[in-house]
Amino acid sequence: MKPILQVSGLTKRYGPGCPECLRRTGALHETNQCPHCRSIIACREITFDLFPGEVLGIVGESGSGKSTVVRLLHFDDEPTQGEFRIKLNGSAGAACNPDPGRNLFALGAFERRQIRNAHMGIVYQNARMGLRLKVSAGGNIAERLLMAGWRHVGQMRQRAAELLIATEVPVLRIDEPPQHFSGGMQQRVQIAKALSTRPAVLLLDEVTTGLDVSVQARVLDLIRSLQQETGVATIVVSHDLGVIRLLTSRTIVMRHGCIVEQGLSDQILEDPQHPYTQLLVNSML
Amino acid sequence: MPLTTAMPTQPNLPSTHWRAGMPSARKRYSYAFLDEGAKREIRRKLLKAVAIPGCQVSFGSREMPIARGWGTGGLQLTLSLIGPDDVLKVIDQGSDDSVNAVNIKKFVRNVTGVPLTTDTRVATLIQTRHRIPEEPLHANQLLVFQVPIPEPLRLVEPSERKTRRMHAEADYSRMWLYLYEDIVRFNEITVGARYPVMVNGRHLMDPSPIPRWDVARLNQSEALLLFCAGREKRIYAIPAHTDVEPLSFEDFAFRVENFHGHCCSRCGCAGSFLDEVIVDESGRRTFICSDTAYCEKMRRRGAAADAAQEENR
Amino acid sequence: MLRVENIQKHFISHVLNGKEVVGFRSVSFKVLPGMALGLSGPSGCGKSSILKCIYRTYLTGMGKIIYNSQTFGTVDLAVLPENEILALRRKEIGYVSQFLSVVPRQPAAEVVAAPLVEEGVSRAVALQRARGLLDRLNIGARLHAAYPATFSGGEKQRVNLSRAIIRPPRLLLLDEPTASLDAASMQVVLDLLLEIKARGTTIIAIFHDQAIMDRLMDDIYTMPVKES
Ligand SMILES: Nc1ncnc2c1ncn2[C@@H]1O[C@H](COP(=O)(O)OP(=O)(O)OP(=O)(O)O)[C@@H](O)[C@H]1O
Ligand SMILES: Nc1ncnc2c1ncn2[C@@H]1O[C@H](COP(=O)(O)OP(=O)(O)OP(=O)(O)O)[C@@H](O)[C@H]1O
Ligand SMILES: [Mg+2]
Ligand SMILES: [Mg+2]
Ligand SMILES: [Zn+2]
Ligand SMILES: [Zn+2]
């Protein structure tokens, strides 16, 4: 099986940078900040593959660089270094279906956005990042469809309604702005939006953080069932090993911007190798 | 191309005197008021604007002897383009006689000596605020629009840096979303003036506050259409024979104003953009052509036809 | 079918300042296709760890686990890429322990039917077969729509087993899946295992119950003693 997504050497630095940066940060040095120039190496040399239909977890403490990786893959931010390839079914070479050999980070902003609009969906940790809270729920979903070139209001509304049903948001509220929705409902609208264009890759950044436990459970169940139905290859970012256990088959463990361990999720949980992973697993309730 | 015919450089033509400020102070200005450097800059920026249809180009807007917001942008274009062979027409919302139009007209005549006209067919250069003349334009004419707000995305994004990036990446989904929400709320697109248009399939453009009636007439124009915002220092253009498409949905087509069968009560014409006016104290309303010169022409033509009929009898 | 060569497992606990625990030392055995091998030895000798190494829940420190797979040919499970291990788990290798390992908040019948649905069997047919299997294992209709997380220990174990054998894998790893079953249920489980074995499933199992070991196993591997 060929990976649908290949990431290699992904590095993101915030700050001016100096020759010391990479040598004096990382898991070994217990920091992601260069002591010399104060730059933050938010993530460094991140390399992994994502396979079709797979759910991959990224776990790590706060500040370890999980969101940065996801943001870079969604082209929300420019990487300092690294390569990113995507291999989709269908004819390569079309506007939004790049040659699988192309490094997507080397493409222009316009092309990258087209690829993102056609093939990626994202759910942000904070609904404010992923939704326009003052635009109707249906409009939020329509925005994604509009980006992908939809131009029929009736069809967009129908698709939005379908997705709201699938994500268990009352369809009657399609024209209400999500600013007054509960946290769980906002996340559902985000999920609906992310799935609206039937993406090949879904990025989920701490989807359940900050939700009540019972709401968390329902959102997780929803993600599980939608993922199984659509077979969308998914990256789940979480600092919660419970979420990782429930949703993922493989897991990457990050610390201070580095991957310290990766493996099958049950192996990570039952036979962790790296001291940090062991600490993480041992601190699980 | 009309641009070349309209861009003569004539350093030593008789400069006209212009009375500024205090009545006693007379000052000599170069031809067409602006110094040659300023004109050259505007012409260069215009070339760029024409080369990238619908794309906003910034320029160093000068102080003009009229208040900003009263057409200083349009006026600077007019002054940079005008030559002694030009015939000038200036309209304000379709009217040749509004104070604003008259002031601009007089000013340009004073600093250039060009003849003025109200006849659209005769004019070579037309400066306008918020209308396109009713009579079809031809290839040897320039139409200069006064633009209050050049940025069509301002409605959805206040940050200039962000709107620039949106243009660079042709990312217009926010504008589309705005229209979608409009439809969801009102079951139609309520945007009236400043209806956003896609130029040459690439740039979203603000057509200035012309009615939708005129928006539809931007497409495949015979004449070169030039736009300038003085306060915001932006120039943009639609070259002749360029596709201009108002944003619309497959199931919510773009529609121009509908006058529900009304005709102009002055000239009787049915195919022009009409203004609704109150005619007496009782509040009685009637419709008349917004383009006054056109109305007058049609009225005279009608009268002549009547007269001819009379004679034939 | 499977040949284990000199595998070892050590656990190094960094949380406990690098304390090393021996899981098992130098284990070698082989199982022929369609056969059942039992692992025996005292508590703590590393039986469970071996099954987990084969299933890759544990990483194998040293040695080889040569498996003759249908999908990828002959492979070493100790070093096979993770995505291929996942593919084998989906298609060929099953694992059942005494602990419930199913998705929460899913009715028992759905849990058991899932492997069939994944294989392309229609939901209705899959559910019907799942119910049949649960019935056979004395999980009454009342429980079919309930969440297994709320079940008794013995009921959970039977759901676990049903899920693993509804679509018999080529290689089935069993780690005391009957620890808390009564004699009657045990008999049913034994019958079921004999059935799938007869249909070709290779089994590696740990049972504390000597009767099952005697009746199911073709061979017993006795774990080497750990010198401490
Ligand atoms: N725009 C930025 N400018 C400077 N530093 C940043 C920026 N964004 C992130 N960082 C830094 O990069 C590091 C990684 O941040 P990131 O948000 O990826 O962490 P995370 O693993 O997602 O954490 P959390 O679990 O808290 O969400 C942090 O040290 C953070 O402070
Ligand atoms: N994840 C682990 N981390 C650390 N040590 C472990 C781990 N798993 C097993 N061990 C240790 O390895 C040894 C073997 O354990 P294992 O569970 O394989 O024994 P067993 O033979 O299955 O015993 P039982 O018959 O009691 O189930 C034990 O000393 C145990 O403490
Ligand atoms: Mg984060
Ligand atoms: Mg054991
Ligand atoms: Zn540095
Ligand atoms: Zn009229």
Side-chain angles (χ1 to χ4, degrees):
Chain A
M1 194 159 43
K2 293 255 164 53
I4 186 168
L5 202 138
Q6 282 181 292
V7 178
S8 68
L10 185 59
T11 300
K12 175 67 187 177
R13 182 188 67 228
Y14 292 104
C18 74
E20 300 283 291
C21 281
L22 286 180
R23 265 194 291 132
R24 297 180 60 177
T25 58
L28 273 182
H29 300 269
E30 300 275 303
T31 179
N32 65 359
Q33 184 166 35
C34 171
H36 193 245
C37 71
R38 318 302 303 166
S39 295
I40 303 269
I41 311 297
C43 69
R44 55 141 76 198
E45 285 143 31
I46 303 297
T47 298
F48 66 87
D49 292 342
L50 180 70
F51 291 88
E54 173 183 45
V55 183
L56 174 72
I58 302 183
V59 69
E61 65 193 354
S62 185
S64 56
K66 309 180 296 291
S67 298
T68 302
V69 170
V70 165
R71 273 205 313 273
L72 293 172
L73 297 185
H74 197 247
F75 306 121
D76 290 344
D77 216 336
E78 296 275 336
T80 308
Q81 233 164 41
E83 298 188 356
F84 178 18
R85 296 189 165 75
I86 200 163
K87 163 111 179 56
L88 300 154
N89 295 325
S91 59
C96 53
N97 206 357
D99 180 342
R102 286 292 285 282
N103 173 13
L104 302 187
F105 290 138
L107 298 178
F110 178 66
E111 281 171 295
R112 279 184 295 184
R113 210 160 36 71
Q114 291 222 305
I115 289 166
R116 171 172 84 194
N117 293 343
H119 305 301
M120 296 194 205
I122 190 165
V123 176
Y124 292 97
Q125 185 164 352
N126 190 332
R128 227 176 309 136
M129 289 267 292
L131 296 178
R132 298 185 190 285
L133 294 179
K134 292 189 172 133
V135 168
S136 71
N140 270 286
I141 296 168
E143 183 179 18
R144 194 88 203 176
L145 298 172
L146 287 164
M147 284 180 180
W150 291 47
R151 292 291 180 266
H152 191 288
V153 175
Q155 284 168 7
M156 284 188 284
R157 280 179 74 69
Q158 194 186 334
R159 178 85 183 125
E162 276 167 31
L163 284 153
L164 291 177
I165 290 167
T167 52
E168 297 163 18
V169 176
V171 181
L172 280 176
R173 307 189 68 169
I174 187 169
D175 294 331
E176 276 179 53
Q179 61 181 339
H180 303 307
F181 289 6
S182 69
M185 228 154 94
Q186 287 179 352
Q187 290 308 62
R188 285 160 193 281
V189 176
Q190 270 210 87
I191 294 167
K193 177 178 182 173
L195 291 175
S196 60
T197 49
R198 299 191 172 85
V201 178
L202 180 62
L203 306 169
L204 305 175
D205 191 357
E206 310 270 12
V207 257
T208 54
T209 309
L211 301 180
D212 290 343
V213 182
S214 63
V215 181
Q216 265 188 32
R218 286 185 53 199
V219 171
L220 291 175
D221 288 352
L222 173 71
I223 290 170
R224 253 191 72 86
S225 66
L226 289 176
Q227 197 279 331
Q228 277 173 353
E229 253 165 59
T230 58
V232 58
T234 305
I235 296 181
V236 174
V237 166
S238 183
H239 57 253
D240 181 347
L241 286 173
V243 171
I244 296 290
R245 184 203 289 282
L246 184 67
L247 295 180
T248 71
S249 54
R250 276 195 314 136
T251 297
I252 286 173
V253 184
M254 284 185 71
R255 182 147 209 246
H256 297 305
C258 305
I259 294 182
V260 293
E261 182 166 357
Q262 56 182 315
L264 297 181
S265 299
D266 53 329
Q267 179 251 300
I268 295 287
L269 288 162
E270 295 199 33
D271 188 18
Q273 306 291 306
H274 192 272
Y276 172 67
T277 319
Q278 293 186 353
L279 189 70
L280 209 62
V281 172
N282 277 305
S283 10
M284 239 178 123
L285 294 173
Chain B
M1 188 157 104
L3 198 60
T4 49
T5 61
M7 285 211 299
T9 43
Q10 51 267 105
N12 298 319
L13 277 169
S15 300
T16 327
H17 295 283
W18 182 68
R19 190 188 289 264
M22 285 185 294
S24 58
R26 279 174 176 252
K27 195 177 167 202
R28 288 179 67 84
Y29 287 89
S30 54
Y31 180 77
F33 184 77
L34 292 174
D35 63 84
E36 290 308 312
K39 285 188 239 175
R40 238 189 330 266
E41 189 210 346
I42 290 176
R43 288 177 198 146
R44 275 200 207 107
K45 293 292 162 62
L46 262 176
L47 286 175
K48 181 172 175 192
V50 169
I52 315 170
C55 178
Q56 296 168 56
V57 180
S58 55
F59 77 108
S61 185
R62 309 293 155 122
E63 286 298 325
M64 298 301 291
I66 54 172
R68 288 209 162 151
W70 291 95
T72 53
L75 185 56
Q76 286 177 79
L77 279 195
T78 298
L79 294 173
S80 307
L81 297 171
I82 203 158
D85 298 333
D86 277 313
V87 180
L88 179 69
K89 169 180 167 82
V90 179
I91 53 171
D92 182 354
Q93 308 218 30
S95 161
D96 292 82
D97 310 322
S98 88
V99 180
N100 191 26
V102 170
N103 280 345
I104 289 174
K105 245 185 315 202
K106 279 191 187 154
F107 172 65
V108 179
R109 191 188 52 202
N110 286 345
V111 296
T112 61
V114 299
L116 304 178
T117 184
T118 59
D119 187 345
T120 300
R121 304 295 292 174
V122 172
T124 58
L125 198 143
I126 305 171
Q127 180 172 333
T128 174
R129 177 172 170 269
H130 305 184
R131 268 313 311 269
I132 297 176
E134 215 61 65
E135 283 177 275
L137 301 176
H138 52 80
N140 291 325
Q141 291 178 308
L142 290 176
L143 184 58
V144 173
F145 292 79
Q146 297 172 202
V147 179
I149 303 166
E151 180 50 75
L153 295 168
R154 193 61 73 234
L155 197 60
V156 294
E157 177 54 65
S159 150
E160 175 70 21
R161 200 173 50 83
K162 286 194 186 144
T163 54
R164 265 191 213 197
R165 205 184 59 209
M166 286 156 84
H167 282 297
E169 299 179 11
D171 174 11
Y172 298 129
S173 54
R174 301 268 302 276
M175 193 70 231
W176 283 105
L177 178 60
Y178 181 90
L179 300 180
Y180 170 93
E181 288 280 292
D182 221 17
I183 289 173
V184 166
R185 241 174 300 159
F186 307 109
N187 206 32
E188 62 171 339
I189 295 175
T190 59
V191 180
R194 298 190 58 214
Y195 195 99
V197 294
M198 200 67 178
V199 178
N200 203 25
R202 174 59 182 82
H203 279 94
L204 191 70
M205 195 196 87
D206 184 314
S208 87
I210 54 176
R212 292 185 186 200
W213 179 272
D214 288 340
V215 169
R217 299 168 62 216
L218 296 170
N219 189 39
Q220 290 293 330
S221 159
E222 288 289 328
L224 173 59
L225 311 176
L226 304 170
F227 298 80
C228 188
R231 197 170 13 148
E232 302 216 18
K233 307 184 172 64
R234 292 285 186 283
I235 292 174
Y236 48 99
I238 303 174
H241 304 289
T242 301
D243 286 338
V244 179
E245 230 186 311
L247 297 194
S248 65
F249 292 97
E250 285 157 26
D251 50 344
F252 282 83
F254 174 79
R255 268 193 311 212
V256 302
E257 290 83 354
N258 183 348
F259 301 107
H260 305 287
H262 285 284
C263 304
C264 173
S265 59
R266 194 180 291 154
C267 72
C269 144
S272 67
F273 184 76
L274 301 174
D275 283 338
E276 194 173 7
V277 291
I278 300 171
V279 282
D280 56 26
E281 292 84 34
S282 71
R284 198 165 58 83
R285 286 154 189 276
T286 185
F287 288 88
I288 53 169
C289 293
S290 135
D291 183 338
T292 53
Y294 175 76
C295 190
E296 184 58 21
K297 203 183 246 184
M298 295 307 279
R299 202 180 56 78
R300 256 191 265 125
R301 201 173 284 169
D306 287 349
Q309 248 177 11
E310 199 86 336
E311 229 159 76
N312 282 354
R313 232 182 271 154
Chain C
M1 184 72 152
L2 186 91
R3 196 171 71 243
V4 169
E5 293 176 3
N6 257 317
I7 60 170
Q8 302 191 7
K9 180 64 191 169
H10 296 249
F11 299 95
I12 297 165
S13 170
H14 299 279
V15 182
L16 302 173
N17 297 318
K19 182 169 176 283
E20 197 176 318
V21 176
V22 178
F24 54 83
R25 272 192 232 281
S26 195
V27 165
S28 302
F29 59 76
K30 69 174 178 190
V31 207
L32 296 174
M35 296 290 142
L37 173 74
L39 303 182
S40 83
S43 178
C45 69
K47 305 181 294 294
S48 300
S49 299
I50 288 180
L51 294 189
K52 287 182 178 174
C53 281
I54 296 172
Y55 200 60
R56 183 66 81 80
T57 297
Y58 285 177
L59 296 174
T60 308
M62 225 180 284
K64 288 185 177 142
I65 305 172
I66 305 300
Y67 170 64
N68 197 348
S69 88
Q70 200 162 45
T71 319
F72 303 111
T74 302
V75 294
D76 181 356
L77 296 178
V79 295
L80 194 67
E82 285 149 10
N83 66 310
E84 290 175 22
I85 292 277
L86 287 173
L88 289 181
R89 285 184 179 185
R90 271 195 307 275
K91 293 181 203 153
E92 298 190 25
I93 306 181
Y95 171 82
V96 185
S97 80
Q98 64 193 64
F99 305 107
L100 183 74
S101 63
V102 298
V103 175
R105 298 175 298 276
Q106 234 185 0
E110 302 262 356
V111 166
V112 175
L116 285 180
V117 175
E118 202 176 302
E119 216 189 22
V121 177
S122 83
R123 240 178 78 87
V125 173
L127 277 175
Q128 198 183 349
R129 281 178 51 193
R131 293 214 177 88
L133 191 56
L134 287 170
D135 281 340
R136 236 186 116 179
L137 280 160
N138 294 323
I139 306 277
R142 178 182 61 86
L143 290 177
H144 292 182
Y147 298 157
T150 63
F151 288 10
S152 76
E155 286 163 347
K156 280 180 190 166
Q157 285 183 7
R158 279 173 279 165
V159 170
N160 247 357
L161 261 172
S162 311
R163 179 184 165 83
I165 62 177
I166 191 159
R167 183 182 54 101
R170 280 184 88 227
L171 175 64
L172 181 59
L173 310 171
L174 300 170
D175 188 351
E176 300 185 41
T178 56
S180 35
L181 292 193
D182 55 75
S185 305
M186 195 91 103
Q187 185 57 48
V188 181
V189 169
L190 181 58
D191 290 345
L192 281 169
L193 291 175
L194 285 168
E195 272 170 37
I196 62 167
K197 180 168 172 259
R199 280 157 58 195
T201 293
T202 308
I203 296 173
I204 303 176
I206 306 164
F207 284 101
H208 275 159
D209 185 283
Q210 196 55 44
I212 288 210
M213 288 293 249
D214 290 344
R215 291 190 47 200
L216 184 64
M217 303 308 169
D218 301 295
D219 199 359
I220 303 283
Y221 176 77
T222 307
M223 298 286 293
V225 196
K226 280 201 288 192
E227 70 274 24
S228 44

